Amino acid sequence: MVKGVREQLVGIAERLAATRGLAATSLRDIQVESGQQNKSVVQYYFGSKAGLMEAIMDARMGPINLKRLAILEQLGEHPGLRDLVEAFVVPLAEVTVLERRSYWARFLLQGTFDPAHRHLVQTSSAASSFRAVRSRLIAELTDLPPRVRTHRVDRMVEFIVVALATAEESRAAGKLSHAAAVQYVADVVDMSCALLSAETRWN
């Protein structure tokens, strides 16, 4: 029973934050939406709003991290640029754009650009699979100056979050079919590769 309430609160908080914004989502909103009579139910399970946001990140990023690590292991020691981009994009797309009722990409978008909670996203993004993909991508961009490589990879991550959040919203509204979503994800990979490999004037 305890596990059920905790999971329910995580799901409601993710949905409300994704659709209303993190700042506009209060612990009271989550408690009312859950139907729990105890006004301190969220504090009981998570301690604070930050604790709740951290629990959401842990619940969603854990499976994505494992999937990404499995892909990296299959790729071996010398994957190409597109392989590495796909290793970043596909595990995230599978639980967002390719699912009809996902809120995760939109939640991630809110967290990425919300100064009050950005550190939680950054901490979650420091998972082993993200670090591995990021470092390999940076190493792959040998035609670019070192600081440009890092800049490109970090901007690519932001682009992917925005792109998947946009498509996830379209999926939820019934405006994007599964087949179209598959093509959309492939195009996101194409654009990400182009972003990384474009010529630069930055020395």
Side-chain angles (χ1 to χ4, degrees):
M1 181 65 178
V2 172
K3 182 178 180 181
V5 172
R6 183 182 175 87
E7 290 177 346
Q8 179 193 28
L9 294 172
V10 164
I12 290 171
E14 178 186 22
R15 172 171 57 80
L16 294 181
T19 55
R20 299 181 183 178
L22 283 167
T25 301
S26 68
L27 299 187
R28 172 66 173 165
D29 293 334
I30 297 165
Q31 175 255 319
V32 170
E33 190 79 9
S34 71
Q36 296 291 322
Q37 299 301 311
N38 182 358
K39 294 182 180 181
S40 301
V41 65
V42 179
Q43 292 94 323
Y44 174 79
Y45 284 103
F46 304 101
S48 63
K49 186 174 183 178
L52 174 57
M53 298 301 112
E54 186 174 356
I56 297 171
M57 297 294 296
D58 290 343
R60 301 296 180 249
M61 289 305 295
I64 293 172
N65 186 48
L66 292 175
K67 174 76 177 209
R68 194 175 284 144
L69 287 173
I71 292 174
L72 288 174
E73 185 174 357
Q74 292 174 356
L75 290 177
E77 295 183 4
H78 303 290
L81 180 67
R82 186 181 181 86
D83 291 331
L84 289 170
V85 172
E86 287 181 339
F88 181 82
V89 174
V90 172
L92 187 56
E94 285 180 343
V95 299
T96 56
V97 177
L98 301 180
E99 286 191 8
R100 186 62 179 273
R101 296 185 179 277
S102 171
Y103 296 95
W104 177 239
R106 284 170 286 174
F107 177 91
L108 200 56
L109 177 64
Q110 293 287 341
T112 298
F113 295 101
D114 185 316
H117 297 91
R118 187 179 299 150
H119 69 286
L120 294 176
V121 176
Q122 292 172 341
T123 299
S124 176
S125 296
S128 56
S129 68
F130 178 84
R131 292 198 309 270
V133 173
R134 184 176 182 274
S135 62
R136 289 195 188 191
L137 281 170
I138 291 171
E140 187 73 18
L141 302 178
T142 54
D143 293 336
L144 298 174
R147 63 176 178 171
V148 177
R149 300 175 202 175
T150 301
H151 174 73
R152 287 284 180 88
V153 173
D154 290 343
R155 299 296 75 75
M156 179 205 74
V157 172
E158 293 173 352
F159 161 71
I160 289 169
V161 170
V162 173
L164 294 184
T166 300
E168 182 185 73
E169 186 172 19
S170 294
R171 284 282 284 160
K175 298 178 181 178
L176 189 68
S177 68
H178 183 270
V182 171
Q183 294 178 332
Y184 183 98
V185 171
D187 197 43
V188 168
V189 172
D190 289 338
M191 288 188 286
S192 297
C193 291
L195 186 158
L196 292 175
S197 58
E199 294 184 6
T200 183
R201 297 182 184 180
W202 189 4
N203 296 321

